[in-house]
Amino acid sequence: YRQFDKAGSRLQYAIDQIEWLFETAASIPDCAHIIIAGDLFHQFDTISNTVVNRVALAFSKYLKTYFEMSVWCISGNHDYGSRVNDGYETSIQFLTNISRQFHNADYCNLWCGNQRFVFIPYTGDLNLFRDFWHKMGVNKDTVVICHDTIAGISDSNIPAILPLDLLSGAKRVFAGH
């Protein structure tokens, strides 16, 4: 949101998307979970207090309104306090304080019904991603939610590190970016 315009419409657009997300999920019968595959914020480095507060207030409002919903979010590269995941705290962790329904899903295994989900946040490093993939026991029955980009289907501005042969070892892979 570095590119704030004077009216703040870019931030307002993002808040409107959070509302849309909850309203859409609520319109789906038996939908109880919203999954966000990272980059909840849109800038590197320090995130403005205004932005964090407005996003936190929006999630708080909609989690109270749609109290049967929960949000599972992994950290994307824009959600960290620097350009790489080098030990900086993720803004996603901060948001877990707004509600017990908001979860930082980084490195989580989650069973929903009889389906297993594995959440891998942004790594930017194929070897590190492979390590997490194997340590978390991904197999043909696993749905993977990740943030790194899939090779061969990415924008040229975004490094694509995830090879299709690795990803074919899972039931489904949903990647952010």
Side-chain angles (χ1 to χ4, degrees), residues 26-161:
S27 72
I28 300 169
D30 300 322
C31 180
H33 304 282
I34 295 171
I35 297 172
I36 301 172
D39 281 355
L40 187 56
F41 296 96
H42 183 68
Q43 82 179 58
F44 293 114
D45 305 318
T46 303
I47 300 169
S48 154
N49 287 342
T50 300
V51 171
V52 173
N53 288 337
R54 291 280 309 277
V55 169
L57 287 171
F59 273 107
S60 178
K61 173 184 175 182
Y62 295 113
L63 285 167
K64 287 176 185 167
T65 303
Y66 301 100
F67 56 88
E68 71 285 356
M69 293 279 173
S70 63
V71 174
W72 298 84
C73 188
I74 60 171
S75 300
N77 55 315
H78 291 258
D79 298 318
Y80 287 98
S82 74
R83 289 193 174 269
V84 293
N85 176 7
D86 57 3
Y88 283 82
E89 190 171 21
T90 170
S91 56
I92 304 306
Q93 185 58 40
F94 167 79
L95 292 173
T96 63
N97 295 307
I98 62 170
S99 171
R100 297 178 90 183
Q101 298 155 260
F102 192 102
H103 308 278
N104 176 352
D106 292 355
Y107 312 110
C108 282
N109 280 291
L110 170 71
W111 284 89
C112 189
N114 62 356
Q115 181 59 63
R116 181 172 168 250
F117 291 83
V118 165
F119 296 84
I120 304 175
Y122 176 75
T123 65
D125 179 315
L126 177 57
N127 291 327
L128 186 58
F129 186 90
R130 279 186 201 273
D131 286 347
F132 288 123
W133 180 276
H134 295 295
K135 286 178 185 173
M136 297 180 84
V138 173
N139 61 38
K140 290 279 191 191
D141 297 322
T142 309
V143 173
V144 176
I145 312 296
C146 63
H147 187 74
D148 288 293
T149 307
I150 300 171
I153 59 170
S154 68
D155 181 305
S156 61
N157 295 322
I158 301 170
I161 65 165

Side-chain angles (χ1 to χ4, degrees), residues 156-173:
S156 61
N157 295 322
I158 301 170
I161 65 165
L162 304 181
L164 293 176
D165 63 328
L166 173 68
L167 303 181
S168 66
K171 182 176 184 177
R172 300 266 189 282
V173 176

